[in-house]
Amino acid sequence: MKLGIVGLPNVGKSTLFKAITHSDIEIANYPFCTIHPNIGIVPVPDPRLDHLCGLYQPEKCTPAVLEIADIAGLVRGASKGEGLGNQFLASIREVDAIIHLVRCFDEPDVSHVDGNIDPVRDIETIELELILSDHEYLTRRIDKLSRLVKGEKGHQEELDMLRELLAHLDTGQPARSFPDLKLSPEVHLLTSKPVLYVANIAEKDLNQITPQLELLQAKATADKAELVVVSAELEAELADLEAEEREFFLSELGVQKTGKELVIQAGYKLLGLISFFTVTGSKEVRAWTIPQGTKAPQAAGKIHSDFERGFIRAEVVAFSDLVAHGNMAAVREKGKYRSEGKEYIVEDGDIILFRFNV
């Protein structure tokens, strides 16, 4: 599953990406410094995994991971090819969800493509370009289906829905706000992807509610989207510190979680993902990523296809039960160690031992 960071040029996308992924990429004060998407694999911070690793002291402690892409800045007219817009829009089609980074800091030495800071306007600029791109895409799809319908009526239902969706886009609304949106797998709309707004503020504005941030929060609420507030500048500083120094620095600032943690955890949630854990004796404690609603055999298949093919049962302990009772022996004694079959839907935080035979 991949998250894509989008936004106007010079809003801090590459700075945030570099801080999150510890990647060595170019950062410059001019539009289109990034041409091709930078890709990074990042571990998902999870205090439950930390607890399990502290309890079992394994040789290896393996977190869940997310793939994040730093996509070049879009500008007004991108849907018509401005600023290499077609190339950049194609990169967005390849991600599963969007992190929309919005500039809320005023820095004279860092230029803004529109000359001044206005986070709501900036969001609307990007959203409009995505809508226009989807409009063109849907128009071509409708033309194609219209020709197919003449000889095959099976496409009529999809054609009717796409025409309604096109009319919805004409009102300036994204596809994700269309009621009961159900797209066939081959239809990839930019505005159907879930979105997370991330406000990039100045370090001096940490723990402050600025007027720009208030406007952005109102916009996120209206769009039924989550908003995370970070300082990409601060995240870049934190990325260069040792763990102990970082914790001290954060405590001095009165910050409990880094922006990196907030963004990754919010992105994980945005994608509808959960984690389950496996404990392999003293060798490894590992977090595994699955979509919410996954049944036990398919979760087992994330580890190895043989686990799914020869699935017998899943022996399950809820993380909360392990914490409440201290260890597995006490969990068993309290009757909280469960045996689940093929229809069991894995819960976030389950600790699972899979039994299988092939």
Side-chain angles (χ1 to χ4, degrees), residues 1-6 12-28 30 32-42 66-73 87-88 91-92 94-95 97 99:
M1 303 291 278
K2 184 190 293 185
L3 289 161
I5 305 176
V6 306
K13 296 186 306 300
S14 294
T15 301
L16 183 64
F17 176 84
K18 185 174 182 178
I20 288 176
T21 63
H22 299 280
S23 301
D24 186 18
I25 60 172
E26 183 180 3
I27 298 173
Y30 57 84
F32 315 123
C33 168
T34 302
I35 299 297
H36 302 290
N38 296 302
I39 307 295
I41 304 296
V42 298
L66 270 181
E67 186 174 352
I68 296 182
D70 170 28
I71 296 168
Q87 178 181 336
F88 301 161
S91 298
I92 300 174
E94 297 174 3
V95 305
I99 296 173

Side-chain angles (χ1 to χ4, degrees), residues 47-49 51-52 277 317-324 348-351:
R48 299 171 303 184
L49 180 66
H51 180 91
L52 290 173
F277 304 97
V317 174
F319 176 79
S320 57
D321 287 334
L322 179 63
V323 172
D348 187 36
D350 279 349
I351 304 163

Side-chain angles (χ1 to χ4, degrees), residues 144-184:
K144 179 181 177 181
L145 283 177
S146 297
R147 292 192 296 272
L148 291 174
V149 163
K150 293 177 182 178
E152 186 179 339
K153 293 188 177 181
H155 296 287
Q156 187 63 53
E157 185 177 344
E158 181 184 2
L159 181 59
D160 292 341
M161 189 274 287
L162 292 184
R163 283 173 173 161
E164 289 181 21
L165 180 54
L166 189 65
H168 178 78
L169 294 180
D170 280 334
T171 68
Q173 298 298 310
R176 60 180 163 272
S177 66
F178 185 77
D180 301 318
L181 180 65
K182 294 178 182 177
L183 298 173
S184 57

Side-chain angles (χ1 to χ4, degrees), residues 65-232:
V65 296
L66 270 181
E67 186 174 352
I68 296 182
D70 170 28
I71 296 168
L74 296 171
V75 293
R76 190 174 285 107
S79 59
K80 302 300 180 184
E82 290 293 328
L84 299 180
N86 292 330
Q87 178 181 336
F88 301 161
L89 289 166
S91 298
I92 300 174
R93 292 197 190 278
E94 297 174 3
V95 305
D96 301 292
I98 293 171
I99 296 173
H100 190 153
L101 188 64
V102 188
R103 179 173 170 178
C104 293
F105 66 90
D106 195 3
E107 173 52 66
D109 293 335
V110 180
S111 61
H112 189 290
V113 290
D114 285 328
N116 66 312
I117 307 302
D118 186 335
V120 174
R121 177 205 60 204
D122 292 352
I123 285 177
E124 291 173 349
T125 295
I126 297 293
E127 191 87 308
L128 177 60
E129 295 307 320
L130 301 186
I131 288 171
L132 290 172
S133 180
D134 280 350
H135 193 284
E136 182 181 345
Y137 178 94
L138 274 184
T139 300
R140 293 197 304 269
R141 177 78 180 173
I142 288 169
D143 288 344
K144 179 181 177 181
L145 283 177
S146 297
R147 292 192 296 272
L148 291 174
V149 163
K150 293 177 182 178
E152 186 179 339
K153 293 188 177 181
H155 296 287
Q156 187 63 53
E157 185 177 344
E158 181 184 2
L159 181 59
D160 292 341
M161 189 274 287
L162 292 184
R163 283 173 173 161
E164 289 181 21
L165 180 54
L166 189 65
H168 178 78
L169 294 180
D170 280 334
T171 68
Q173 298 298 310
R176 60 180 163 272
S177 66
F178 185 77
D180 301 318
L181 180 65
K182 294 178 182 177
L183 298 173
S184 57
E186 65 269 21
V187 177
H188 303 285
L189 296 182
L190 300 172
T191 62
S192 68
K193 300 178 187 296
V195 63
L196 167 70
Y197 293 139
V198 177
N200 186 11
I201 64 171
E203 184 177 335
K204 65 180 178 62
D205 291 330
L206 277 174
N207 301 320
Q208 304 292 323
I209 304 297
T210 65
Q212 292 171 341
L213 203 52
E214 281 188 315
L215 291 171
L216 188 53
Q217 181 61 72
K219 171 67 174 171
T221 300
D223 292 348
K224 298 179 180 178
E226 189 171 348
L227 173 65
V228 170
V229 179
V230 306
S231 168

Side-chain angles (χ1 to χ4, degrees), residues 203 206-207 234 238 247-256:
E203 184 177 335
L206 277 174
N207 301 320
L234 173 62
L238 292 172
E247 287 180 17
F248 177 77
F249 193 17
L250 289 172
S251 66
E252 288 291 297
L253 293 170
V255 177
Q256 293 187 339

